Amino acid sequence: MPSELILTENMSDDFTEVKVVGEVDIYTSKQFKEKLYSVLESSGTDLKIDCSELKYIDSTGLGILVGTLKKAKLKGNNVYITGLKDNIKKLFLITGLDKLFFIE
Amino acid sequence: MPSELILTENMSDDFTEVKVVGEVDIYTSKQFKEKLYSVLESSGTDLKIDCSELKYIDSTGLGILVGTLKKAKLKGNNVYITGLKDNIKKLFLITGLDKLFFIE
Amino acid sequence: MMENLKDTMIDYFETIELILPFKAEYVSTARLTASSVASKMGFNIEEVEDIKVALSEVCSKLVSRGSKVVDSYRIVFKLFKDKLTIVFCCEDGTLNCVFDNENDSLGIAIMNALMDDVELCTKTEQLLLISKVLKGEKQDAI
Amino acid sequence: MMENLKDTMIDYFETIELILPFKAEYVSTARLTASSVASKMGFNIEEVEDIKVALSEVCSKLVSRGSKVVDSYRIVFKLFKDKLTIVFCCEDGTLNCVFDNENDSLGIAIMNALMDDVELCTKTEQLLLISKVLKGEKQDAI
Ligand SMILES: Nc1ncnc2c1ncn2[C@@H]1O[C@H](COP(=O)(O)OP(=O)(O)O)[C@@H](O)[C@H]1O
Ligand SMILES: Nc1ncnc2c1ncn2[C@@H]1O[C@H](COP(=O)(O)OP(=O)(O)O)[C@@H](O)[C@H]1O
């Protein structure tokens, strides 16, 4: 079965970037959460989440982003979300999450 | 609803070319048949069917190609099929139609 | 644009059903089927996306709750002339009113924003439904 | 490669159903659903294509014949550990043994070549079935 979600990370001194390719839904959300939480765990920098190839995310995935943001804030770091496609940006607007994250 | 089948024709002195884009199935087969038969009707040349963007064809569609070939032969013309994708060439081999047509 | 909403209750003319196990991996099958049905009705790409997202919220919720009584749930696509209503059914009554305002606020907000009608509690067996109206002149497409 | 064929009759573990009207426009919905199910099981792109083509032959035949008794037919995907069986059901018995060797020779040849098992006449209600075996090590994918 072709994997529906591919997550790659890229660490630099200033920030850690996670690139999200594919779909975040109930099937892939565990993988999504574990990746983001483990990246937060091991890095002390701001987090950039590159969503330019994120095709789909549901409320579970958005909840995981909120959880990630909370964890990051506790460590004094920010979460930047980049490259959102229009259909997904729409979900951030609907849920008001656009006001919580730095969206670039 | 986005059309699943687009047919365009191109006449020259030597042959008439019909380009088939999309899927030929039970829903689009009538359109497919009408186009091929009307092209045969109006032209006295060999027929080239460009299948490089044909994504799918079923036995009804193959039957229409056979019918087209029969009609062309009656007028002393040939039917050439070009650009078949592997998955569709496979159907020509299975059914033995590869021996009836000029496949390029 | 909404003046036709009442008329859409008549002219009910086609039903497609998909029965799926309570498993996360088949939620994407539901999305794919929904997108085929909705685009055939004439919804545009953005509307089809809205429908997929809303449907997916329901499927995910049902799958995450699951059932001890039955193995599968039923998604009924009701195609009206200018409206698609998606009804979710299951013989397990414990799945009635499965969304709760507190924990599912994100999902509920999303469904309400993307669909024209969301009924989170309906009759037993028919768990809940979501509807989207076909705007514009595309309703002749089918 | 075929030595597992008998074993595949046990370990039957999942069912997905799609109920469609007798209408040509929904045959592509069946193909899309089939392709989602088959690729989840671990069939490769070419095998998924084979399954879509074979399934489509059956749907087209059923739709072109239609029914005076019922509005819709049922496609049941039975997912075994290493085999996908697709059963076509309909309460209209006149659709039993719907393929005929003379007029449907192309369609029959295609189904036999692409699938591992084709039963064109089965019990009433369960009209016919086609199966494809999952070769290689992909059966753990689900
Ligand atoms: N569906 C949701 N709606 C609203 N908020 C949510 C939703 N899912 C998660 N959250 C919020 O995201 C945060 C993280 O949730 P969760 O992913 O369960 O992480 P954790 O395991 O760290 O609690 C929670 O504090 C919760 O408030
Ligand atoms: N499913 C099929 N299997 C085998 N031959 C077919 C099939 N469908 C059509 N044919 C052949 O293709 C030819 C054309 O059929 P058809 O499309 O009905 O054209 P026409 O209307 O000109 O008879 C027929 O002569 C028939 O033998």
Side-chain angles (χ1 to χ4, degrees), chain B residues 33 37 59-60 63-64 66-67 70-71, chain D residues 102-107:
Chain B
K33 184 171 176 175
Y37 283 23
S59 65
T60 314
I64 291 166
V66 173
K70 287 185 185 169
K71 281 203 182 345
Chain D
E102 198 175 335
N103 293 311
D104 303 317
S105 57
L106 283 182

Side-chain angles (χ1 to χ4, degrees), chain A residues 18-22 49-55 82-85:
Chain A
V18 174
K19 186 169 169 69
V20 189
V21 177
I49 305 178
D50 175 357
C51 295
S52 57
E53 294 184 43
L54 171 63
K55 288 193 302 185
T82 66
L84 282 181
K85 287 182 200 290

